[in-house]
Amino acid sequence: MDTIFALASAVGKAGVSVVRVSGPSAWDACSRLCGDVPAPRRSALRKLTDGAGQVLDEALVLTFEAGKSFTGEQVVEFHLHGSIAILRAVLRELAAMEGVRQAEPGEFTRRALEHDRLDLTQVEALADLIEAETESQRTQAMTIFAGALGQKVEIWREELIFAASLLEVTIDFADEEVPVDVSDDVRSALIEVKGELERELAGVDAAERIRSGFEVAIIGRPNVGKSTLLNALAGRDAAITSEHAGTTRDVIEVRMEIAGLPVTLLDTAGLREAADPVEKIGIQRARDRAELADLRVFLLEADETLDVFPREGDIVRRSKGDLSGDAQAISAATGQGIEALISEIGATLSERVQSSGLATRERHRIAFQEGADALKTALELLDFGPERYDIAAEEVRVAIRRLEALIGRVDVENLLDKIFSSFCLGK
């Protein structure tokens, strides 16, 4: 296996730049640059030199033994002064060494998976952790990266292996002194795991929303104050405001954090009968996005109605409270009621994620659903007695394989290139 290297910190000038090297020749590369290999897991100050003996930099060097590093291989980290020239020189020296090459995107993490340092759910969580923008996303990703989902899957897998073994003993040794009717023990194990899978399935949508974010659409008639409200919520002029009706022609999106959750606010075209063909397109887009949004904020003037009706959980507010004198209305111009609206949006979305589980991706949902379906079939087969135990055992094995694929033990090679392509070179 090649030894790989890459910049593990941000590209460009910095106080410190970190170059990571991993593989069987990592310590040889360290020795060639430093003159020796510092003691593992202890920082050491070393002068790095090129093949001609010219000093490239004075750096902190960290080494990690195989089996005790992130990748599971020998690893060296060079903490360099963050000069582009220094970095270029060190990378050039590494690239010139035999058996050492630049890493591909996500290759360090892929090696961690291959050496059983991480399971596949932890790999996905690491990508999410790097991308996390809000506290809820950080907390969710950190929980899964710590192994919470993989540990649950392992417990379920052991329960199912136990159930399958009971069925197979009955099948293989029916004429010997073994329990003939194991259905109660098997049924208990299958019901327990199936229930756990179904609880996780119920929380997938909420967990996925934490990971990818909610969409909140502001809808109403033209000139009701939607764009002004968007700007007030965003704290900046994200949308053009005008007294002329139909100013907003397309959906304007603003990404922000509310109650620790990632939220995309949508300012939509005013809903009305329009003659202008471009405005008609904008209005149709507004209707489409409003239909798909997780939450809609209806902004209305007094006694006004729309042909789009609030769903359960949507928020309705009267607009232009500064002009109407209505203390219950909001005014984006003066700030009246804005904080209360933000609090209500946050409370509504927070309530929706209370049921979130550990499964955060469509891949997880499919694995859990297929596993639960297989266990449901196995439970039905148990009712027919020992003559169907062989088929029931196969259904249990199907559920086991689905869980093993979830954590990356089997049948995931087609997923790996896609997953690791989202990582940077140094990860």
Side-chain angles (χ1 to χ4, degrees), residues 47-69:
K47 285 185 170 63
L48 308 187
T49 59
D50 62 16
Q54 182 178 354
V55 175
L56 302 176
D57 191 24
E58 189 171 51
L60 282 177
V61 180
L62 285 168
T63 63
F64 301 88
E65 301 161 281
K68 296 183 179 180
S69 68

PDB file of all heavy atoms in Angstrom, residues 47-69:
ATOM      1  N   LYS A  47      14.246  20.617  12.600  1.00  0.00           N
ATOM      2  CA  LYS A  47      14.527  21.316  11.349  1.00  0.00           C
ATOM      3  C   LYS A  47      14.269  20.349  10.205  1.00  0.00           C
ATOM      4  O   LYS A  47      14.786  19.228  10.202  1.00  0.00           O
ATOM      5  CB  LYS A  47      15.966  21.819  11.311  1.00  0.00           C
ATOM      6  CG  LYS A  47      16.218  23.046  12.179  1.00  0.00           C
ATOM      7  CD  LYS A  47      17.643  23.552  11.980  1.00  0.00           C
ATOM      8  CE  LYS A  47      17.855  24.911  12.629  1.00  0.00           C
ATOM      9  NZ  LYS A  47      17.682  24.870  14.095  1.00  0.00           N
ATOM     10  N   LEU A  48      13.471  20.778   9.233  1.00  0.00           N
ATOM     11  CA  LEU A  48      13.201  19.961   8.065  1.00  0.00           C
ATOM     12  C   LEU A  48      14.147  20.379   6.951  1.00  0.00           C
ATOM     13  O   LEU A  48      14.286  21.573   6.651  1.00  0.00           O
ATOM     14  CB  LEU A  48      11.750  20.140   7.603  1.00  0.00           C
ATOM     15  CG  LEU A  48      10.644  19.957   8.655  1.00  0.00           C
ATOM     16  CD1 LEU A  48       9.273  20.004   7.985  1.00  0.00           C
ATOM     17  CD2 LEU A  48      10.823  18.669   9.426  1.00  0.00           C
ATOM     18  N   THR A  49      14.781  19.406   6.318  1.00  0.00           N
ATOM     19  CA  THR A  49      15.759  19.709   5.268  1.00  0.00           C
ATOM     20  C   THR A  49      15.431  18.947   4.000  1.00  0.00           C
ATOM     21  O   THR A  49      14.793  17.881   4.042  1.00  0.00           O
ATOM     22  CB  THR A  49      17.190  19.339   5.714  1.00  0.00           C
ATOM     23  OG1 THR A  49      17.237  17.935   6.022  1.00  0.00           O
ATOM     24  CG2 THR A  49      17.587  20.133   6.941  1.00  0.00           C
ATOM     25  N   ASP A  50      15.871  19.488   2.871  1.00  0.00           N
ATOM     26  CA  ASP A  50      15.669  18.789   1.604  1.00  0.00           C
ATOM     27  C   ASP A  50      16.823  17.837   1.348  1.00  0.00           C
ATOM     28  O   ASP A  50      17.720  17.668   2.202  1.00  0.00           O
ATOM     29  CB  ASP A  50      15.504  19.780   0.456  1.00  0.00           C
ATOM     30  CG  ASP A  50      16.733  20.660   0.244  1.00  0.00           C
ATOM     31  OD1 ASP A  50      17.816  20.317   0.766  1.00  0.00           O
ATOM     32  OD2 ASP A  50      16.598  21.689  -0.441  1.00  0.00           O
ATOM     33  N   GLY A  51      16.821  17.200   0.167  1.00  0.00           N
ATOM     34  CA  GLY A  51      17.861  16.221  -0.133  1.00  0.00           C
ATOM     35  C   GLY A  51      19.252  16.799  -0.178  1.00  0.00           C
ATOM     36  O   GLY A  51      20.235  16.074   0.026  1.00  0.00           O
ATOM     37  N   ALA A  52      19.384  18.107  -0.414  1.00  0.00           N
ATOM     38  CA  ALA A  52      20.695  18.753  -0.458  1.00  0.00           C
ATOM     39  C   ALA A  52      21.113  19.291   0.905  1.00  0.00           C
ATOM     40  O   ALA A  52      22.168  19.924   1.016  1.00  0.00           O
ATOM     41  CB  ALA A  52      20.674  19.887  -1.475  1.00  0.00           C
ATOM     42  N   GLY A  53      20.306  19.081   1.920  1.00  0.00           N
ATOM     43  CA  GLY A  53      20.642  19.542   3.256  1.00  0.00           C
ATOM     44  C   GLY A  53      20.190  20.956   3.553  1.00  0.00           C
ATOM     45  O   GLY A  53      20.475  21.482   4.639  1.00  0.00           O
ATOM     46  N   GLN A  54      19.487  21.600   2.624  1.00  0.00           N
ATOM     47  CA  GLN A  54      19.006  22.963   2.862  1.00  0.00           C
ATOM     48  C   GLN A  54      17.803  22.931   3.789  1.00  0.00           C
ATOM     49  O   GLN A  54      16.877  22.149   3.632  1.00  0.00           O
ATOM     50  CB  GLN A  54      18.623  23.619   1.533  1.00  0.00           C
ATOM     51  CG  GLN A  54      18.152  25.059   1.693  1.00  0.00           C
ATOM     52  CD  GLN A  54      17.823  25.705   0.358  1.00  0.00           C
ATOM     53  OE1 GLN A  54      18.054  25.100  -0.685  1.00  0.00           O
ATOM     54  NE2 GLN A  54      17.298  26.909   0.384  1.00  0.00           N
ATOM     55  N   VAL A  55      17.815  23.825   4.781  1.00  0.00           N
ATOM     56  CA  VAL A  55      16.724  23.875   5.749  1.00  0.00           C
ATOM     57  C   VAL A  55      15.471  24.452   5.083  1.00  0.00           C
ATOM     58  O   VAL A  55      15.514  25.530   4.488  1.00  0.00           O
ATOM     59  CB  VAL A  55      17.107  24.722   6.983  1.00  0.00           C
ATOM     60  CG1 VAL A  55      15.911  24.868   7.931  1.00  0.00           C
ATOM     61  CG2 VAL A  55      18.280  24.093   7.715  1.00  0.00           C
ATOM     62  N   LEU A  56      14.380  23.719   5.205  1.00  0.00           N
ATOM     63  CA  LEU A  56      13.098  24.168   4.645  1.00  0.00           C
ATOM     64  C   LEU A  56      12.270  24.925   5.677  1.00  0.00           C
ATOM     65  O   LEU A  56      11.606  25.905   5.362  1.00  0.00           O
ATOM     66  CB  LEU A  56      12.287  22.965   4.145  1.00  0.00           C
ATOM     67  CG  LEU A  56      12.968  22.086   3.091  1.00  0.00           C
ATOM     68  CD1 LEU A  56      12.092  20.888   2.758  1.00  0.00           C
ATOM     69  CD2 LEU A  56      13.270  22.897   1.834  1.00  0.00           C
ATOM     70  N   ASP A  57      12.306  24.450   6.925  1.00  0.00           N
ATOM     71  CA  ASP A  57      11.519  25.075   7.978  1.00  0.00           C
ATOM     72  C   ASP A  57      11.899  24.438   9.310  1.00  0.00           C
ATOM     73  O   ASP A  57      12.509  23.365   9.357  1.00  0.00           O
ATOM     74  CB  ASP A  57      10.018  24.877   7.730  1.00  0.00           C
ATOM     75  CG  ASP A  57       9.145  25.740   8.648  1.00  0.00           C
ATOM     76  OD1 ASP A  57       9.640  26.777   9.130  1.00  0.00           O
ATOM     77  OD2 ASP A  57       7.983  25.372   8.874  1.00  0.00           O
ATOM     78  N   GLU A  58      11.549  25.102  10.386  1.00  0.00           N
ATOM     79  CA  GLU A  58      11.638  24.516  11.726  1.00  0.00           C
ATOM     80  C   GLU A  58      10.201  24.263  12.172  1.00  0.00           C
ATOM     81  O   GLU A  58       9.401  25.204  12.264  1.00  0.00           O
ATOM     82  CB  GLU A  58      12.360  25.458  12.686  1.00  0.00           C
ATOM     83  CG  GLU A  58      12.678  24.807  14.019  1.00  0.00           C
ATOM     84  CD  GLU A  58      13.587  25.697  14.877  1.00  0.00           C
ATOM     85  OE1 GLU A  58      13.251  26.888  15.042  1.00  0.00           O
ATOM     86  OE2 GLU A  58      14.602  25.192  15.378  1.00  0.00           O
ATOM     87  N   ALA A  59       9.879  23.010  12.440  1.00  0.00           N
ATOM     88  CA  ALA A  59       8.483  22.637  12.628  1.00  0.00           C
ATOM     89  C   ALA A  59       8.304  21.739  13.845  1.00  0.00           C
ATOM     90  O   ALA A  59       9.246  21.085  14.305  1.00  0.00           O
ATOM     91  CB  ALA A  59       7.974  21.908  11.392  1.00  0.00           C
ATOM     92  N   LEU A  60       7.083  21.711  14.346  1.00  0.00           N
ATOM     93  CA  LEU A  60       6.698  20.711  15.340  1.00  0.00           C
ATOM     94  C   LEU A  60       6.325  19.429  14.601  1.00  0.00           C
ATOM     95  O   LEU A  60       5.599  19.471  13.603  1.00  0.00           O
ATOM     96  CB  LEU A  60       5.509  21.184  16.172  1.00  0.00           C
ATOM     97  CG  LEU A  60       5.793  22.183  17.288  1.00  0.00           C
ATOM     98  CD1 LEU A  60       4.485  22.601  17.955  1.00  0.00           C
ATOM     99  CD2 LEU A  60       6.746  21.592  18.326  1.00  0.00           C
ATOM    100  N   VAL A  61       6.816  18.310  15.088  1.00  0.00           N
ATOM    101  CA  VAL A  61       6.576  17.030  14.434  1.00  0.00           C
ATOM    102  C   VAL A  61       5.895  16.093  15.430  1.00  0.00           C
ATOM    103  O   VAL A  61       6.321  15.962  16.577  1.00  0.00           O
ATOM    104  CB  VAL A  61       7.893  16.403  13.934  1.00  0.00           C
ATOM    105  CG1 VAL A  61       7.615  15.069  13.248  1.00  0.00           C
ATOM    106  CG2 VAL A  61       8.609  17.353  12.980  1.00  0.00           C
ATOM    107  N   LEU A  62       4.821  15.459  14.980  1.00  0.00           N
ATOM    108  CA  LEU A  62       4.102  14.470  15.781  1.00  0.00           C
ATOM    109  C   LEU A  62       4.087  13.146  15.023  1.00  0.00           C
ATOM    110  O   LEU A  62       3.816  13.125  13.817  1.00  0.00           O
ATOM    111  CB  LEU A  62       2.657  14.906  16.029  1.00  0.00           C
ATOM    112  CG  LEU A  62       2.422  16.020  17.048  1.00  0.00           C
ATOM    113  CD1 LEU A  62       0.982  16.512  16.944  1.00  0.00           C
ATOM    114  CD2 LEU A  62       2.686  15.510  18.458  1.00  0.00           C
ATOM    115  N   THR A  63       4.403  12.048  15.719  1.00  0.00           N
ATOM    116  CA  THR A  63       4.336  10.734  15.095  1.00  0.00           C
ATOM    117  C   THR A  63       3.351   9.851  15.868  1.00  0.00           C
ATOM    118  O   THR A  63       3.173  10.011  17.072  1.00  0.00           O
ATOM    119  CB  THR A  63       5.716  10.054  15.074  1.00  0.00           C
ATOM    120  OG1 THR A  63       6.163   9.839  16.419  1.00  0.00           O
ATOM    121  CG2 THR A  63       6.735  10.905  14.330  1.00  0.00           C
ATOM    122  N   PHE A  64       2.714   8.934  15.125  1.00  0.00           N
ATOM    123  CA  PHE A  64       1.747   8.002  15.717  1.00  0.00           C
ATOM    124  C   PHE A  64       2.042   6.602  15.199  1.00  0.00           C
ATOM    125  O   PHE A  64       2.272   6.402  14.012  1.00  0.00           O
ATOM    126  CB  PHE A  64       0.312   8.393  15.336  1.00  0.00           C
ATOM    127  CG  PHE A  64      -0.071   9.782  15.780  1.00  0.00           C
ATOM    128  CD1 PHE A  64       0.185  10.877  14.963  1.00  0.00           C
ATOM    129  CD2 PHE A  64      -0.681   9.992  17.002  1.00  0.00           C
ATOM    130  CE1 PHE A  64      -0.164  12.160  15.364  1.00  0.00           C
ATOM    131  CE2 PHE A  64      -1.039  11.266  17.412  1.00  0.00           C
ATOM    132  CZ  PHE A  64      -0.773  12.352  16.598  1.00  0.00           C
ATOM    133  N   GLU A  65       2.012   5.631  16.098  1.00  0.00           N
ATOM    134  CA  GLU A  65       2.287   4.255  15.718  1.00  0.00           C
ATOM    135  C   GLU A  65       1.110   3.654  14.961  1.00  0.00           C
ATOM    136  O   GLU A  65      -0.033   4.088  15.113  1.00  0.00           O
ATOM    137  CB  GLU A  65       2.541   3.414  16.977  1.00  0.00           C
ATOM    138  CG  GLU A  65       3.692   3.902  17.821  1.00  0.00           C
ATOM    139  CD  GLU A  65       3.607   3.340  19.231  1.00  0.00           C
ATOM    140  OE1 GLU A  65       2.795   3.890  20.024  1.00  0.00           O
ATOM    141  OE2 GLU A  65       4.317   2.374  19.523  1.00  0.00           O
ATOM    142  N   ALA A  66       1.398   2.618  14.190  1.00  0.00           N
ATOM    143  CA  ALA A  66       0.326   1.869  13.528  1.00  0.00           C
ATOM    144  C   ALA A  66      -0.598   1.281  14.594  1.00  0.00           C
ATOM    145  O   ALA A  66      -0.145   0.757  15.608  1.00  0.00           O
ATOM    146  CB  ALA A  66       0.924   0.760  12.667  1.00  0.00           C
ATOM    147  N   GLY A  67      -1.906   1.396  14.356  1.00  0.00           N
ATOM    148  CA  GLY A  67      -2.885   0.915  15.320  1.00  0.00           C
ATOM    149  C   GLY A  67      -3.287   1.944  16.352  1.00  0.00           C
ATOM    150  O   GLY A  67      -4.251   1.742  17.086  1.00  0.00           O
ATOM    151  N   LYS A  68      -2.562   3.056  16.417  1.00  0.00           N
ATOM    152  CA  LYS A  68      -2.854   4.087  17.404  1.00  0.00           C
ATOM    153  C   LYS A  68      -3.002   5.470  16.760  1.00  0.00           C
ATOM    154  O   LYS A  68      -2.849   6.485  17.425  1.00  0.00           O
ATOM    155  CB  LYS A  68      -1.767   4.121  18.482  1.00  0.00           C
ATOM    156  CG  LYS A  68      -1.697   2.840  19.299  1.00  0.00           C
ATOM    157  CD  LYS A  68      -0.660   2.936  20.400  1.00  0.00           C
ATOM    158  CE  LYS A  68      -0.619   1.659  21.227  1.00  0.00           C
ATOM    159  NZ  LYS A  68       0.394   1.735  22.315  1.00  0.00           N
ATOM    160  N   SER A  69      -3.278   5.462  15.462  1.00  0.00           N
ATOM    161  CA  SER A  69      -3.458   6.714  14.737  1.00  0.00           C
ATOM    162  C   SER A  69      -4.866   6.781  14.175  1.00  0.00           C
ATOM    163  O   SER A  69      -5.631   5.815  14.247  1.00  0.00           O
ATOM    164  CB  SER A  69      -2.451   6.808  13.585  1.00  0.00           C
ATOM    165  OG  SER A  69      -2.752   5.840  12.594  1.00  0.00           O
TER     166      SER A  69
END
